[in-house]
Amino acid sequence: MERIDKVLARYGITDYAVKERYHEDTDRILCRIATGNRDFFLRGLPGEKKEQTVRGNVLAHEYLGNQKHMAPEIIYTCDGSGYVAVDGQWFYMTEYIEGKNLEENAADEYALGQLTAKLHGIRGYGYPTGLNQDKTRFYGWFSDRHFKAEFDGIVDALPDFTQCEQCLIHSDIGPHNAMRRTGGETVLIDLDDAGIGARYLDLGWPFIMQFVDFNHQTEKMQYRFDLAIAFLRGYYGSRRLTGEEYDLIWQGAVFMHISYMQVYGPDAVESLWKILRFGMDRKQELWERWNALGLSDY
């Protein structure tokens, strides 16, 4: 609490209560701050984070929040700063969004697709994403796994996403990172790696990471075609989806899933490999279902 006292003093806040804490098992400080007439969200990042990373987070919130009203707005300190360093840790504060997270249903996926399209259509932002878009880092992975040769072949087939169409991306698109305000507007949250990056990495993220429903007890899987189609319909609206674009979406999906395959520790790798292969095998069926709706260009 002493550290939070020091941080909030920079904002001129001395009378407050910590209403909720999030992810207490991590080295971050994430909490809801209640004052007399308004709540805020305080985010503390480890001191080893580069200042340019923190600055990128804040710039994304300023642009998408304070200017575009598509994300939580940055709250400034008494001297006008967007972030501070206190006791070896970085901090910034945003408005607290009153509302609820989107859910994994067709209506919310449609709304999320619309919000993603709106994000990708924004022009004028220049700060790069914190997402590493270089596929060559994957070649050093999983040398001791039985699927190494097949894995490298999958990586070989991926394009160089640094050379693909770039726009403002979120990098972790999903219902968990979008909220509906009490007034009905949908907004994006958790802009940690938001910035200019490959559109198809952003668009592809949920097609394996989210739409493959994996039961951790039985290891049975199913593909949520209903959610995938709703998301695509929200994103493309009346525009037609070409086969070339569809391929790029799935290449982005593969890249993003692979990028998470070491995040959850070595015990999760085999399951994540199975999810990757299962998801890739659903690509053609999803395309056929999409075609049946008459929304594609062959």
Side-chain angles (χ1 to χ4, degrees):
M1 290 296 289
E2 181 181 352
R3 182 178 292 178
I4 293 177
D5 285 344
K6 291 180 181 179
V7 173
L8 294 182
R10 302 283 292 272
Y11 291 86
I13 298 173
T14 56
D15 185 14
Y16 71 92
V18 177
K19 292 188 70 172
E20 295 175 85
R21 287 181 177 267
Y22 308 88
H23 303 296
E24 293 187 68
D25 57 337
T26 70
D27 56 356
R28 299 185 173 200
I29 293 177
L30 304 167
C31 57
R32 178 180 178 181
I33 302 295
T35 66
N37 56 9
R38 190 179 180 188
D39 287 4
F40 303 97
F41 190 84
L42 180 66
R43 184 182 295 264
L45 304 177
E48 61 266 21
K49 285 280 187 181
K50 294 181 179 180
E51 185 171 3
Q52 69 183 50
T53 299
V54 182
R55 182 169 179 266
N57 294 359
V58 170
L59 286 174
H61 276 282
E62 287 178 329
Y63 191 76
L64 288 175
N66 300 54
Q67 296 183 40
K68 302 295 184 181
H69 310 296
M70 291 175 58
E73 295 184 8
I74 280 289
I75 307 300
Y76 296 99
T77 65
C78 294
D79 63 1
S81 298
Y83 62 95
V84 296
V86 174
D87 292 345
Q89 196 165 3
W90 300 105
F91 290 88
Y92 63 91
M93 193 159 68
T94 68
E95 65 170 318
Y96 179 80
I97 300 292
E98 295 287 353
K100 66 175 185 176
N101 278 99
L102 297 189
E103 299 178 0
E104 292 194 8
N105 59 52
D108 280 359
E109 289 293 346
Y110 184 85
L112 185 57
Q114 289 181 312
L115 184 61
T116 305
K118 183 178 179 182
L119 173 70
H120 292 175
I122 290 175
R123 297 294 179 266
Y125 188 77
Y127 206 84
T129 176
L131 174 67
N132 185 345
Q133 302 182 98
D134 183 5
K135 74 171 185 177
T136 60
R137 60 192 169 107
F138 300 143
Y139 286 114
W141 294 10
F142 309 131
S143 58
D144 58 341
R145 299 285 180 168
H146 64 91
F147 55 75
K148 174 62 174 173
E150 185 179 358
F151 174 83
D152 284 352
I154 290 171
V155 175
D156 286 342
L158 296 175
D160 178 1
F161 282 102
T162 64
Q163 301 302 309
C164 292
E165 180 186 351
Q166 307 283 298
C167 65
L168 179 52
I169 68 171
H170 180 280
S171 82
D172 192 3
I173 292 290
H176 59 295
N177 279 333
M179 294 189 68
R180 181 172 284 107
R181 293 182 186 268
T182 53
E185 306 92 343
T186 53
V187 295
L188 295 164
I189 59 174
D190 290 345
L191 307 183
D192 288 359
D193 288 323
I196 299 299
R199 178 164 76 96
Y200 292 106
L201 290 180
D202 213 29
L203 185 54
W205 186 94
F207 284 83
I208 296 176
M209 289 293 294
Q210 183 196 342
F211 299 148
V212 175
D213 186 4
F214 179 77
N215 186 310
H216 290 274
Q217 280 70 47
T218 65
E219 295 197 350
K220 289 184 178 179
M221 290 177 274
Q222 65 171 334
Y223 197 81
R224 296 299 306 272
F225 292 102
D226 57 332
L227 302 185
I229 287 172
F231 180 76
L232 284 172
R233 293 190 76 163
Y235 188 88
Y236 281 95
S238 60
R239 291 184 293 132
R240 314 291 279 188
L241 173 58
T242 66
E244 181 181 6
E245 274 193 292
Y246 185 74
D247 286 343
L248 284 166
I249 290 171
W250 274 91
Q251 288 168 329
V254 170
F255 180 103
M256 293 303 287
H257 182 85
I258 287 174
S259 72
Y260 279 84
M261 282 183 66
Q262 295 204 109
V263 170
Y264 305 106
D267 292 341
V269 169
E270 286 292 336
S271 293
L272 290 167
W273 171 250
K274 292 176 182 176
I275 291 169
L276 175 64
R277 297 301 295 121
F278 181 87
M280 292 175 67
D281 288 345
R282 308 280 90 72
K283 176 187 173 184
Q284 183 60 33
E285 183 177 352
L286 177 58
W287 181 239
E288 290 170 359
R289 291 186 183 218
W290 183 255
N291 287 340
L293 299 172
L295 299 172
S296 62
D297 283 336
Y298 292 96

